[in-house]
Amino acid sequence: MSIKERYLQIEERIQKACIRSGRKREEVILLAASKTQPVEKILEAYECGIRYFGENRVQEGMEKIDMLKDYKDIHWHLIGGLQTNKAKYAVKYFEMIHSVDRQELVDELEKRASKLGKVQEGLIEVNFGEESKFGVREENLKTLFEYTLTKKHLKIVGLMAIPPYFENPEDVRPFFRKLRLLKEDLEKSFNVKLPHLSMGMSHDFEVAIEEGATIVRIGTALFGERR
Ligand SMILES: *Cc1c(COP(=O)(O)O)cnc(C)c1O
């Protein structure tokens, strides 16, 4: 199947999930997880109308962003874990960083964004288990979020998670719901608006949308199996 054909199927499934859950299609961003994909494939997805791309590694992302610098309407997001020593480049290249997960990184992002005169958008990544080595534990989320509120050049706009893998996407639902509740709890506790929930991947994005996802990160369902 071509990227176009896969895209059309995904788009239809997103629309149906939106209808099932009484949401508007515009509330959900389809972000193509383009790690390991060459720029030719990214451009195929771009031709389908996709404008949000998520890279996992800063170095790989920078190379592609440089190669595609003429496509000014692409929104580049960093979705993989971020080492502190790469924060400088992440801030320079990416519109949103999905993997803010510790004070040290918050400090570095603030420092680098301040130097560039930029307000860096970020999501706090929550770790629900041992699936990912990244992410803040649920019990430390409030403290970390409160800490980010002291920063002028880092703006947290929501939460992200990579829940454990289950064969049956229904089994992931409690994790998506939990992330939404954590977001709502932060909004209440600190009297702020957090517009984004980045959750849902190729095999569970419909459930994620039903539970309130605003960004679904889709790789294999769009590009096919990674090399
Ligand atoms: C690779 C990746 C995805 C997409 O995964 P698929 O299962 O291929 O859709 C989403 N989020 C993150 C953080 C990833 O690394």
Side-chain angles (χ1 to χ4, degrees), residues 33 35 56 79-80 160 162 201-202 217-221 226:
K35 59 172 177 264
N56 281 68
I79 61 177
M160 178 274 217
I162 308 172
M201 307 183 1
S202 285
R217 311 178 308 266
I218 298 182
T220 42
R226 279 181 289 276

Side-chain angles (χ1 to χ4, degrees), residues 23 33 75 82 99 110 124 160 163-164 186 189 199 207 218 220:
R23 303 184 62 202
H75 303 268
L82 177 56
S99 48
E110 169 66 20
I124 293 186
M160 178 274 217
L186 290 178
S189 302
M199 58 188 195
V207 177
I218 298 182
T220 42

Side-chain angles (χ1 to χ4, degrees), residues 161-176:
I162 308 172
Y165 179 86
F166 292 97
E167 200 61 42
N168 180 359
E170 273 306 320
D171 295 338
V172 196
R173 189 183 294 276
F175 294 91
F176 292 146

Side-chain angles (χ1 to χ4, degrees), residues 51-66:
R51 292 294 179 271
Y52 289 80
F53 290 87
E55 284 289 331
N56 281 68
R57 292 167 182 278
V58 174
Q59 181 64 38
E60 182 184 339
M62 284 163 59
E63 287 168 17
K64 293 177 192 173
I65 294 167
D66 280 335

Side-chain angles (χ1 to χ4, degrees), residues 3 20 35 37-38 44-45 102 118 131 158 163 180 182 185 192 194 211-212 216 218:
I3 288 179
R20 274 200 301 281
K35 59 172 177 264
Q37 304 298 339
E44 268 185 68
R102 57 196 190 278
K118 171 183 185 181
E131 294 296 308
R180 171 162 52 80
L182 289 171
D185 184 40
V192 291
L194 298 173
E211 292 301 329
V216 289
I218 298 182

